Amino acid sequence: MLRRPQPLRIAIDTGGTFTDCVWLDAGRLRMLKVFSTPADPSQAIVEALRKIAHERERDREFVLLHGTTVGTNTLLERKGAHTALITTTGFEDAIEIGRQARPKLYDFFFERIEPLVPKSLRFGINERTAADGEILSSPTPQELHALAEQLAGAKPESIAISFLFSFANPKNELAAAEALGSLAIPLSISHQILPEFREYERTSTVVVNAYLQPVMQSYLENLERRAGELVKERRFSAAKSRERDRASAPEAHPRIFVMQSSGGITALSTAAREPVRTVLSGPAGGVVGALTTARASGFERIIAFDMGGTSTDVSLVESEIKTATDAQIASLPVAVPMLDIHTVGAGGGSLARFDAAGVFRVGPESAGADPGPICYGRGLQPTVTDANLLLGRLQPTRFLGGDFTLDLDRTRRITAEWLKKQGSKLTLDQFATGVVRVVNATMEKAIRVVSIERGRDPRHFALVAFGGAGGLHACALAEALSIPQVIVPALPGALSALGILASDVVKDYSRTVLWRVSKKILAEPLDQEFAALEKAAAADFRHESWPDKPHYHRSVDLRYRGQGYELNLPLTRNLLRDFEREHHRRYGYSHPTREIELVTLRLRAIMKSPQLRIKMDHVGTGTLARPGRAKLGGASPLTAPVQFEGKKLETKIYSRGNLRPGHKYTGPAIITEYSATTVILSGKRFYLDRVANLLVDL
């Protein structure tokens, strides 16, 4: 009896300019990049799947692991659902009042961001739960019926429910949800999304979830439908080739999973129900991929530097990936666990401009995939990519492995016309050098935010550069920050997709308890609370039909009584001692006699994904969608003039596939490959290590 082949696992990361795909084929890591389709991201995904599946067994199943920017873009562009908020009477304006902290403390003209729910759609209800969970008053059936009628008249597309202290007792929220169920409108309920204290952050998080839910649900359902049509088309074709009739083609049931901001994948149904957990979906895959590849080269302390087409994401990792619960996305608090990633509007597609005062700026506006940079053939305003092309750092015929030729003549002509219209007397070389300097300054500041401003010395870390444009700027940034080593992983332009492919299935659970302790923690109530969280996790994994049992990681948020912020630590027998030590390390002092509070209990349930086993010679560097394609360039590198800080230097142009592992090379050099280009500064040494990562010593 023939063995059914294992499903093909395909990881796809949708970016602003390119959609990146990575998959394993007979142990060989393969890659494909296609232009994104911002109007409908699923279109590019299906196009990529069609290309990947073109010459494969037509009836082989595939599993799609997806990193998406739909949630992020929806928040940034304010194009989410018409959302209503139901909350405790008197707290209707909490999402507008917010907290005292503001980004610019001394700016008298600072304008607070408008809340996602307008005042007309905020409804208060007479209910009250005490901090210890006692129900002081419950909404009457008459009140709930009247509320349902009001909402029916307002016609919201989604509803957020967030009552005071619902994390301690959700009874009133459940009653409200039951009464509003007849409206057939998506509900986001705070004790299910975020059963934690701090009503402003909890309410903001559940509102964001409600705001995204109809958009994400529609997108994922559309993706599932289109992927299903492709699967059915392939199976019918396979059945037809075996002279069966159309009816014999089996039903199409594609399996789709979505990357979460916390660094793990989840089922499509969960992502559609809780889209707030996916707002940093793609960047999270990049951090996982960066640490995975850096560890293979022996590095545990890294700064992940992901420069794509529209933005740059940076994150600092010390040995293990950690999550935070105090993030802000589009200036809105989002308190679900997510990786600590700092994003700036600086990418290959970032637009250059002169502001009203004549000051030169780059970004955050981007040309995106449509129309894209000038050199792509349709853009009319210069971008960072155009500047790198003008400086010779991008080679016109070596972009995307030669599949796509950059239009240098068009870039020169249109950029010169644009400069003339701006009244600028800069030459093309001066302008392009200025663009690179300005965008580097923006990215250098971002790296300082995650390192120096948080008490970390960048000289003790390696810079892992990836994304389509990361390698172009990494050496200059590392030199400016005295970072000793740059790592450009194999397949740098698709590392986020590789991280998604390597990610585990992850679910996070939490509950605020606010217990005071002095010298000893009572183990029994702690075990009971964690047991309840583990029971909920096991039920969720069973509901999604996962075959294995998850592994559980317990942690606790602690603080000294009276403090406003907590430290998260793994649960151990010496938890209080660990807290004292970490507090002293982080803040420089501790209070051994001061009362400590256990604030929030956290459980991370993890089911390991299949381990990626890739040998060095199985990591291709050419156009991996067509492995038979010849490598660009011969064994001997070409030379070309390239601008470095105003100086034109004869520079060797290497194809990464032709570099000899272990052999030391010296810059200046340009290293081209299918998914990215790397610039090596003059005098810097570089080499390929045993796992095909490119290491640069500064």
Side-chain angles (χ1 to χ4, degrees):
M1 188 169 113
L2 290 175
R3 246 179 149 185
R4 190 175 184 86
Q6 288 292 317
L8 186 67
R9 288 168 57 89
I10 305 170
I12 298 185
D13 175 41
T14 302
T17 305
F18 286 100
T19 292
D20 306 324
C21 314
V22 169
W23 70 100
L24 275 177
D25 185 3
R28 180 180 173 86
L29 191 62
R30 308 281 295 277
M31 175 178 60
L32 174 69
K33 291 175 79 76
V34 299
F35 282 102
S36 295
T37 49
D40 179 8
S42 66
Q43 182 180 337
I45 294 173
V46 174
E47 177 190 344
L49 291 175
R50 196 178 298 278
K51 288 183 177 182
I52 293 169
H54 180 62
E55 295 181 356
R56 300 205 54 78
E57 307 99 310
R58 291 188 178 91
D59 57 350
R60 184 174 177 182
E61 293 181 358
F62 69 82
V63 175
L64 174 59
L65 312 174
H66 179 31
T68 175
T69 57
V70 170
T72 311
N73 292 341
T74 299
L75 283 177
L76 292 174
E77 297 169 7
R78 290 287 181 128
K79 293 183 178 179
H82 195 51
T83 303
L85 170 64
I86 315 302
T87 188
T88 306
T89 296
F91 288 82
E92 297 91 338
D93 296 328
I95 59 170
E96 186 162 1
I97 296 169
R99 295 204 178 273
Q100 181 178 339
R102 59 184 184 183
K104 298 179 180 179
L105 186 61
Y106 300 107
D107 185 356
F108 292 108
F109 303 100
F110 169 73
E111 293 185 11
R112 184 179 293 276
I113 187 171
E114 285 293 318
L116 297 177
V117 180
K119 195 171 184 66
S120 60
L121 284 176
R122 301 177 213 156
F123 301 91
I125 194 164
N126 291 311
E127 70 81 36
R128 183 56 63 97
T129 302
D132 62 0
E134 181 186 357
I135 301 295
L136 302 178
S137 63
S138 299
T140 65
Q142 293 78 12
E143 286 178 299
L144 293 174
H145 179 72
L147 175 63
E149 288 186 339
Q150 278 184 287
L151 287 167
K155 297 181 179 179
E157 297 171 310
S158 65
I159 299 172
I161 302 175
S162 181
F163 291 166
L164 197 64
F165 295 116
S166 62
F167 62 87
N169 189 336
K171 181 179 177 181
N172 285 348
E173 280 195 348
L174 290 171
E178 184 180 358
L180 301 178
S182 60
L183 297 176
I185 297 173
L187 298 177
S188 295
I189 310 171
S190 76
H191 77 271
Q192 296 175 354
I193 303 295
L194 189 70
E196 299 179 22
F197 79 143
R198 293 194 173 101
E199 67 275 8
Y200 169 55
E201 286 78 8
R202 177 161 49 88
T203 302
S204 175
T205 302
V206 75
V207 164
V208 169
N209 192 79
Y211 187 75
L212 296 176
Q213 194 173 1
V215 177
M216 184 66 82
Q217 191 169 350
S218 174
Y219 165 70
L220 291 176
E221 287 175 353
N222 183 47
L223 174 61
E224 186 177 37
R225 176 184 58 79
R226 296 185 68 167
E229 289 172 355
L230 175 62
V231 171
K232 192 168 185 179
E233 174 187 314
R234 292 178 63 216
R235 291 182 179 178
F236 173 67
S237 177
K240 187 177 179 181
S241 68
R242 291 192 291 265
E243 297 183 351
R244 298 177 184 173
D245 59 19
R246 184 167 188 163
S248 66
E251 287 297 316
H253 296 289
R255 297 168 62 195
I256 301 176
F257 304 98
V258 180
M259 187 68 177
Q260 301 175 98
S261 309
S262 60
I265 59 172
T266 190
L268 181 142
S269 58
T270 302
R273 185 177 66 252
E274 298 186 9
V276 70
R277 298 185 184 274
T278 69
V279 290
L280 290 181
S281 177
V287 177
V288 175
L291 183 58
T292 301
T293 54
R295 274 179 175 165
S297 293
F299 293 87
E300 293 283 343
R301 293 160 63 88
I302 65 167
I303 297 173
F305 167 59
D306 178 7
M307 185 178 180
T310 57
S311 63
T312 291
D313 304 305
V314 294
S315 181
L316 185 142
V317 181
E318 293 182 283
S319 301
E320 62 179 354
I321 293 174
K322 295 182 178 180
T323 59
T325 56
D326 57 354
Q328 287 206 350
I329 308 297
S331 300
L332 298 166
V334 176
V336 294
M338 58 179 63
L339 302 189
D340 188 5
I341 299 171
H342 182 63
T343 302
V344 290
S350 293
L351 296 169
R353 59 188 170 87
F354 293 92
D355 65 15
V359 177
F360 187 52
R361 308 278 187 183
V362 179
E365 296 83 2
S366 173
D370 185 12
I374 296 172
C375 57
Y376 288 5
R378 288 187 293 173
L380 296 173
Q381 188 172 343
T383 66
V384 174
T385 297
D386 297 312
N388 279 309
L389 180 63
L390 291 170
L391 294 172
R393 300 181 177 201
L394 284 173
Q395 298 297 299
T397 60
R398 294 194 175 206
F399 194 72
L400 288 183
D403 281 354
F404 186 87
T405 300
L406 301 176
D407 195 334
L408 179 57
D409 291 337
R410 183 178 191 271
T411 304
R412 285 174 173 157
R413 174 172 50 82
I414 292 180
T415 302
E417 293 172 356
W418 182 84
L419 285 170
K420 188 176 180 180
K421 289 179 182 177
Q422 303 301 313
S424 173
K425 295 182 180 179
L426 293 172
T427 66
L428 288 180
D429 286 348
Q430 289 171 335
F431 167 74
T433 299
V435 170
V436 172
R437 284 178 178 171
V438 171
V439 78
N440 280 356
T442 300
M443 296 185 294
E444 181 185 335
K445 182 179 179 182
I447 295 174
R448 288 179 180 275
V449 167
V450 301
S451 58
I452 295 171
E453 292 186 15
R454 297 178 185 176
R456 301 294 188 271
D457 188 340
R459 294 175 295 181
H460 300 157
F461 294 80
L463 185 68
V464 182
F466 56 103
L472 289 166
H473 301 263
C475 285
L477 292 171
E479 188 174 60
L481 291 162
S482 299
I483 296 174
Q485 212 149 27
V486 170
I487 305 170
V488 183
L491 313 185
L495 193 71
S496 291
L498 179 61
I500 293 169
L501 189 67
S503 293
D504 302 322
V505 181
V506 173
K507 291 184 180 296
D508 290 290
Y509 301 84
S510 61
R511 184 171 186 269
T512 292
V513 292
L514 292 172
W515 291 341
R516 297 177 186 175
V517 295
S518 51
K519 295 182 180 180
K520 186 178 180 181
I521 297 174
L522 296 177
E524 186 176 349
L526 199 61
D527 287 339
Q528 288 177 351
E529 291 293 342
F530 274 114
L533 294 178
E534 289 177 5
K535 182 178 179 180
D540 287 343
F541 274 81
R542 284 196 305 271
H543 179 73
E544 294 179 4
S545 301
W546 294 105
D548 301 321
K549 291 183 178 180
H551 299 282
Y552 300 118
H553 296 269
R554 298 176 173 185
S555 66
V556 183
D557 290 355
L558 301 94
R559 68 184 181 188
Y560 287 118
R561 184 184 175 191
Q563 285 184 325
Y565 298 93
E566 301 82 45
L567 294 176
N568 178 260
L569 295 171
L571 178 62
T572 65
R573 294 181 179 179
N574 300 311
L575 180 62
L576 299 183
R577 187 193 64 186
D578 294 344
F579 170 72
E580 300 280 358
R581 288 179 176 177
E582 178 62 18
H583 196 282
H584 192 278
R585 188 193 72 83
R586 185 79 64 93
Y587 303 114
Y589 70 95
S590 60
H591 286 295
T593 59
R594 190 169 174 181
E595 194 173 34
I596 295 173
E597 282 185 319
L598 307 187
V599 180
T600 301
L601 311 183
R602 301 190 183 278
L603 178 75
R604 170 161 276 210
I606 301 174
M607 193 179 74
K608 291 290 183 181
S609 64
Q611 188 173 358
L612 295 180
R613 299 185 181 276
I614 309 163
K615 296 181 181 179
M616 184 184 71
D617 59 352
H618 287 177
V619 180
T621 54
T623 307
L624 300 183
R626 296 199 298 278
R629 185 184 180 89
K631 293 177 181 177
L632 289 169
S636 300
L638 303 173
T639 60
V642 178
Q643 287 276 357
F644 290 91
E645 289 298 323
K647 297 179 181 179
K648 191 166 287 189
L649 303 177
E650 282 298 315
T651 303
K652 290 183 178 180
I653 313 296
Y654 295 92
S655 173
R656 182 163 175 165
N658 290 331
L659 294 177
R660 286 185 289 153
H663 180 76
K664 295 286 182 79
Y665 299 84
T666 304
I670 303 293
I671 299 154
T672 64
E673 56 186 301
Y674 173 64
S675 69
T677 296
T678 302
V679 173
I680 310 294
L681 302 180
S682 180
K684 308 305 179 186
R685 296 175 68 83
F686 63 97
Y687 61 97
L688 282 182
D689 70 2
R690 60 183 179 81
V691 292
N693 287 335
L694 178 66
L695 272 61
V696 186
D697 295 324
L698 286 97

